[in-house]
């Protein structure tokens, strides 16, 4: 599914805000480290101080049990860690909905959506709207 | 006949689209430059890193190359000047040919071979991997974040390295003039200062800026226009490097004509 299609879907269901995508079609930047990938969004779009961005990212990486991934490049990550990094990047987009597109394509060993929900609970993203898109045949996994 | 006309029309339309697309791309880069978008801290990091890759990493090799190449070239020029009995024109030859023409040309060729091709393939790979789409999906303008810092860093790098090359060549010139012509440092520097005009210096720096602009913007544009197919990456680099070569020749011709007219005023 292309980014345009995802945006159109998000808009169709009334999510008029900006969307942070977690999608197999929207990769991390391969020449940046995990930290740089996640921090790029707030560093580019906001005036938040570098020190507070770093503290926030390190806190979230620790919550997701991947504190040692901070300086790794994307090719060094397994699929689960890649998903977590994509999720954190999307969550860094303030005042946005988070769109998780086909999570089981990225988390191919997960039996159901519980690990993702657990991640969201751990990160305490209660105030954030999270939208899942998936194939019809994955309905029973939710 | 009809096939031929159709092919001709198709070629003309695609060429027009390509050229107009390139100009639109240049204008967008210029607009973002004038609005100061590159002061964004994420873009500024790219600018610093690109200067590091383009100029600083090359520096030691560049100094050795310019010392060796410049010395050989200036040695040959001095020997030729001596054998033809044109010693009175030595200053003009050193400044006009070796410093003002040779220095930026060698610098830009070296940077084009080393960095333009790298930038072209980097952007093409990012396009094919949809990393540029990923940036856009998060509201990050690729012109501001990816392209503008690279263009500015190329302009800075070409200007600094050309000046460095010119300085090294002038030192070589002094060394060779004392060996071949037994000329003192005072006479050599007087000869050099007499044979250079303000126009020459202006054209030198304008040329380095234009060189820097073209050897970055052409590969960036070609990388950005790559289709979403890995097989398009070598085609994009090929087109980009051909464009860079053509632009170097074009800028060199224009600068020669400009110097000729300005010096004859």
């Amino acid at each position: 599914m292309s980014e345009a299609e995802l945006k159109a879907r998000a808009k169709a269901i009334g999510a008029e805000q900006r969307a942070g995508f977690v999608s197999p079609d929207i990769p991390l930047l391969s020449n940046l480290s995990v930290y740089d990938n996640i921090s790029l969004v707030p560093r580019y779009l906001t005036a938040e101080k570098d020190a507070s961005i770093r503290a926030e990212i390190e806190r979230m990486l620790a919550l997701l049990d991947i504190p040692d991934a901070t300086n790794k490049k994307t090719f060094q990550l397994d699929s689960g860690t890649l998903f977590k990094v994509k999720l954190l990047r999307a969550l860094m987009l303030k005042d946005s909905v988070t769109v998780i597109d086909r999570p089981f394509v990225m988390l191919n060993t997960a039996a159901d959506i519980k690990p993702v929900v657990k991640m969201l609970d751990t990160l305490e993203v209660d105030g954030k709207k999270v939208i899942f898109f998936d194939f019809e045949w994955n309905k029973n996994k939710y | 006949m009809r096939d031929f006309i159709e092919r001709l029309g198709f070629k003309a339309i695609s060429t027009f689209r390509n050229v107009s697309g390139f100009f639109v791309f240049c204008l967008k880069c210029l607009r973002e430059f004038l609005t100061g978008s590159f002061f964004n801290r994420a873009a500024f990091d790219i600018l610093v890193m690109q200067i590091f890759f383009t100029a600083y990493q090359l520096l030691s090799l560049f100094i050795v190359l310019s010392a060796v190449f410049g010395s050989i070239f200036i040695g040959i020029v001095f020997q030729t000047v001596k054998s033809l009995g044109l010693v009175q024109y030595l200053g003009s030859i050193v400044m006009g040919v070796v410093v003002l023409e040779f220095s930026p040309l060698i610098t830009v060729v070296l940077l084009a071979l080393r960095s333009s091709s790298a930038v072209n393939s980097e952007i093409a790979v990012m396009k094919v991997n949809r990393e540029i789409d990923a940036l856009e999906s998060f509201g990050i303008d690729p012109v501001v974040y990816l392209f503008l810092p690279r263009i500015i860093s190329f302009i800075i790098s070409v200007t600094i390295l050309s000046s460095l090359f010119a300085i090294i060549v002038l030192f070589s010139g002094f060394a060779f003039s004392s060996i071949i012509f037994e000329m003192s440092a005072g006479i050599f520097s007087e000869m050099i200062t007499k044979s250079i005009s303000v126009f020459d210096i202006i054209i030198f720096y304008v040329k380095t800026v234009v060189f820097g602009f073209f050897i970055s913007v052409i590969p960036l544009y070609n990388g950005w226009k790559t289709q979403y197919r890995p097989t398009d990456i070598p085609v994009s680099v090929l087109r980009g490097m051909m464009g860079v070569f053509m632009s170097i020749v074009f800028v060199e011709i224009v600068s020669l004509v400009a110097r000729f007219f300005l010096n004859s005023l």
Side-chain angles (χ1 to χ4, degrees):
Chain A
M1 192 184 299
S2 74
E3 174 214 334
E5 285 170 312
L6 282 171
K7 274 185 176 171
R9 279 200 180 191
K11 203 170 179 177
I13 58 167
E16 295 291 340
Q17 300 142 290
R18 178 172 279 173
F21 292 101
V22 183
S23 166
D25 291 338
I26 301 179
L28 297 169
L29 300 196
S30 53
N31 59 348
L32 297 183
S33 67
V34 165
Y35 172 76
D36 290 335
N37 262 292
I38 303 168
S39 67
L40 178 59
V41 173
R43 290 191 80 232
Y44 183 89
L45 295 172
T46 71
E48 203 178 330
K49 286 202 166 69
D50 281 350
S52 86
I53 293 170
R54 177 167 278 278
E56 173 70 359
I57 291 172
E58 283 176 354
R59 185 186 71 83
M60 292 200 295
L61 287 170
L63 283 172
L64 293 180
D65 293 327
I66 48 167
D68 54 336
T70 313
N71 296 315
K72 283 184 178 170
K73 288 286 173 77
T74 55
F75 68 86
Q76 295 173 293
L77 308 177
D78 58 59
S79 60
T81 313
L82 265 177
F83 178 84
K84 288 175 181 175
V85 176
K86 283 183 179 181
L87 180 66
L88 291 181
R89 178 177 66 171
L91 292 172
M92 293 305 281
L93 198 63
K94 304 289 179 205
D95 302 323
S96 66
V97 290
T98 302
V99 179
I100 301 179
D101 168 37
R102 289 165 292 160
F104 299 108
V105 174
M106 294 175 277
L107 296 169
N108 46 15
T109 55
D112 55 34
I113 202 66
K114 280 177 191 162
V116 180
V117 175
K118 195 182 166 197
M119 280 178 215
L120 293 168
D121 286 343
T122 310
L123 294 167
E124 296 167 339
V125 287
D126 298 338
K128 203 142 193 151
K129 194 170 185 178
V130 180
I131 300 166
F132 288 92
F133 283 120
D134 212 329
F135 299 111
E136 188 69 27
W137 58 79
N138 280 331
K139 210 173 179 178
N140 59 341
K141 290 181 176 175
Y142 286 85
Chain B
M1 186 64 185
R2 190 181 157 177
D3 278 356
F4 173 73
I5 292 167
E6 276 178 358
R7 275 204 303 274
L8 199 67
F10 179 76
K11 186 83 185 159
I13 289 167
S14 65
T15 306
F16 174 76
R17 278 187 183 152
N18 203 22
V19 171
S20 60
F22 177 70
F23 278 107
V24 169
F25 180 76
C26 290
L27 286 175
K28 185 155 170 44
C29 292
L30 187 67
R31 190 186 69 193
E32 297 299 342
F33 175 76
L34 293 174
T35 54
S37 308
F38 61 96
F39 285 118
N40 182 294
R41 57 186 160 165
F44 192 77
D45 285 355
I46 299 285
L47 172 68
V48 174
M49 284 306 291
Q50 194 63 49
I51 291 176
F52 175 79
F53 290 133
T54 312
Y56 184 76
Q57 272 193 342
L58 182 68
L59 202 58
S60 50
L61 175 72
F62 184 81
I63 290 171
V64 173
L65 265 179
S66 50
V68 172
F69 208 57
S71 300
I72 291 169
F73 190 70
I74 214 154
I76 293 166
V77 169
F78 277 24
Q79 282 291 359
T80 313
V81 165
K82 191 182 180 185
S83 62
L84 294 173
L86 298 170
V87 184
Q88 67 272 31
Y89 301 113
L90 191 65
S92 305
I93 292 168
V94 169
M95 283 312 295
V97 178
V98 184
V99 175
L100 298 176
E101 293 302 329
F102 190 67
S103 305
L105 188 64
I106 290 292
T107 307
V108 82
V109 168
L110 193 61
L111 285 190
L113 285 171
R114 187 180 179 273
S115 299
S116 298
S117 51
V119 161
N120 198 146
S121 50
E122 182 191 12
I123 299 297
V125 168
M126 285 184 83
K127 181 72 186 284
V128 171
N129 287 343
R130 295 183 179 271
E131 290 177 23
I132 293 178
D133 292 350
L135 285 174
E136 286 175 334
S137 76
F138 281 92
I140 296 169
D141 187 347
V143 171
V144 175
Y145 178 68
L146 288 178
F147 306 149
L148 202 52
R150 283 172 172 80
I151 294 170
I152 295 168
S153 75
F154 267 71
I155 290 172
I156 293 171
S157 302
V158 174
T159 307
I160 291 173
L161 293 179
S162 295
S163 306
L164 186 66
F165 195 105
I167 291 165
I168 291 170
V169 165
L170 281 174
F171 272 107
S172 304
F174 163 64
F176 274 89
S177 65
S178 61
I179 295 164
I180 298 171
F181 300 109
E182 293 171 356
M183 201 178 272
S184 71
I187 296 172
F188 181 75
S189 56
E190 194 187 331
M191 200 171 64
I192 293 297
T193 43
K194 270 184 184 170
S195 56
I196 189 165
S197 69
V198 179
F199 287 137
D200 290 333
I201 295 171
I202 292 169
I203 288 176
F204 176 83
Y205 282 108
V206 169
K207 195 162 89 172
T208 57
V209 168
V210 175
F211 268 148
F213 178 76
F214 278 116
I215 68 162
S216 54
V217 82
I218 293 172
L220 286 169
Y221 177 71
N222 280 284
W224 187 51
K225 295 304 283 181
T226 308
Q227 302 297 309
Y228 294 100
R229 292 186 297 259
T231 47
D232 252 35
I233 296 172
V235 178
S236 152
V237 177
L238 184 149
R239 282 189 186 144
M241 294 313 289
M242 278 309 292
V244 164
F245 176 75
M246 298 300 282
S247 72
I248 290 172
V249 172
F250 176 74
V251 173
E252 195 56 49
I253 290 168
V254 171
S255 83
L256 281 173
V257 173
R259 264 189 65 204
F260 175 76
F261 278 109
L262 288 171
N263 283 330
S264 61
L265 286 176

